[in-house]
Amino acid sequence: MTKKLLIMCGTGVATSTVVTGKMKTWLEENGLEDKVTLHQSKISDELNRIDDYDIIVSTTIVPDDIRDKVIDGVPLLTGMGLDEMYDRIEGKINQ
Amino acid sequence: MQIDKELMMIGIDFQTKEDILESMGTRLHELGYVEDDFIENVLDREANFPTGLPASPYAVAIPHTDTDKVIEPGIALATLKEPVPFSSMGNAELEVGVKIVFMLAVDAPGEQVTTLQNLIEMVQDEKVVSNLAAVRSIDECSKVLEDFKAQKN
């Protein structure tokens, strides 16, 4: 079954655009593109339906009650801690 | 990456991020890139969803807001005389000393993917960040950006 991956930021405009582009490339390079559908959005539109997604990557601060489900996407913007972040995402895709 | 010279501000001297955002937003507004309420929206966004990025050797911030506040897409660039604290993206408790600010006026994310990706790539390039932080004029600033572009092609 394909996993639904949500990429969100504060506005759904800037950083989630960059992160979505990078995730798409990474999925293709690793032959995972058929296993995942990507969704890009802003956090305020998603909080009430967060459970619809299998994997959530956020570049912005999330409320405490969903923090455990969310993977920090900032490494895609700074280049620091990238491998660890990709490992977590890959783990969730193959779960 | 294309940044108009009229949107570059070099070595500006402010103590708070609010003053910086206001000043850059005013420039974008005066030149017709953004709506009247762009600035207050950017300030509000920055307070709730901070945009400081712990780049090296200096942190960088990329403040922005919703697309409906934008008339024409553009990027304003400011280099700061002294680093100013911004909260970091994804972790508001972590403050970073920002020396370069890119204020983004984005009206259609789908069309501006490449620009945004190039910008982020540039922010990850230590040499460019270091060179940008050191520029003393708009021409020097322009040259750093052009050199980065040339090196990519």
Side-chain angles (χ1 to χ4, degrees):
Chain A
M1 212 185 83
T2 47
K3 297 274 165 65
K4 287 176 78 175
L5 193 165
L6 171 67
I7 293 158
M8 64 182 184
C9 65
T11 57
V13 172
T15 54
S16 58
T17 303
V18 174
V19 170
T20 302
K22 292 201 176 195
M23 281 304 304
K24 206 177 269 176
T25 308
W26 177 79
L27 289 170
E28 285 165 9
E29 283 172 0
N30 291 276
L32 296 165
E33 70 269 31
D34 295 337
K35 293 187 171 179
V36 181
T37 54
L38 292 179
H39 304 263
Q40 180 188 346
S41 189
K42 63 169 139 178
I43 184 167
S44 55
D45 289 349
E46 300 299 333
L47 283 179
N48 58 353
R49 56 178 183 213
I50 210 83
D51 291 328
D52 293 356
Y53 299 98
D54 303 296
I55 309 162
I56 303 153
V57 176
S58 175
T59 58
T60 195
I61 298 156
V62 300
D64 285 340
D65 58 320
I66 64 163
R67 191 159 289 168
D68 291 346
K69 299 178 195 164
V70 176
I71 296 171
D72 178 11
V74 174
L76 285 163
L77 305 174
T78 61
M80 297 173 221
L82 260 184
D83 290 346
E84 201 187 328
M85 186 210 68
Y86 278 136
D87 285 349
R88 274 189 77 188
I89 295 174
E90 192 163 2
K92 290 226 179 200
I93 292 171
N94 293 319
Q95 220 168 52
Chain B
M1 188 186 37
Q2 197 58 48
I3 297 182
D4 288 338
K5 285 187 175 181
E6 60 187 12
L7 293 175
M8 294 178 187
M9 303 162 84
I10 308 301
I12 59 172
D13 192 5
F14 288 114
Q15 263 72 55
T16 70
K17 58 177 185 281
E18 289 78 13
D19 287 345
I20 294 162
L21 299 183
E22 184 123 13
S23 169
M24 296 178 79
T26 303
R27 178 73 63 93
L28 281 165
H29 184 240
E30 279 170 359
L31 294 167
Y33 286 89
V34 297
E35 303 283 359
D36 295 343
D37 54 355
F38 178 83
I39 298 173
E40 60 175 278
N41 274 274
V42 169
L43 284 166
D44 189 49
R45 283 277 157 182
E46 192 64 32
N48 290 302
F49 305 109
T51 66
L53 289 172
S56 178
Y58 300 104
V60 173
I62 53 166
H64 56 275
T65 190
D66 296 311
T67 53
D68 63 348
K69 312 296 177 213
V70 175
I71 300 166
E72 191 191 329
I75 300 175
L77 163 59
T79 66
L80 310 182
K81 190 157 177 261
E82 300 294 338
V84 170
F86 276 68
S87 295
S88 80
M89 196 179 284
N91 179 4
E93 282 130 50
L94 177 68
E95 281 202 332
V96 291
V98 167
K99 199 96 182 348
I100 306 166
V101 182
F102 295 94
M103 184 174 275
L104 315 176
V106 176
D107 68 342
E111 288 168 28
Q112 283 136 40
V113 182
T114 316
T115 306
L116 294 169
Q117 282 181 337
N118 287 347
L119 178 72
I120 294 299
E121 204 177 308
M122 197 166 78
V123 168
Q124 292 182 17
D125 188 322
E126 255 179 64
K127 196 153 177 289
V128 180
V129 172
S130 162
N131 287 345
L132 271 184
V135 298
R136 285 159 303 175
S137 69
I138 285 176
D139 285 338
E140 279 183 25
C141 183
S142 211
K143 178 143 193 331
V144 173
L145 299 179
E146 274 164 27
D147 288 350
F148 175 73
K149 203 173 164 189
Q151 157 212 317
K152 263 175 52 78
N153 295 333

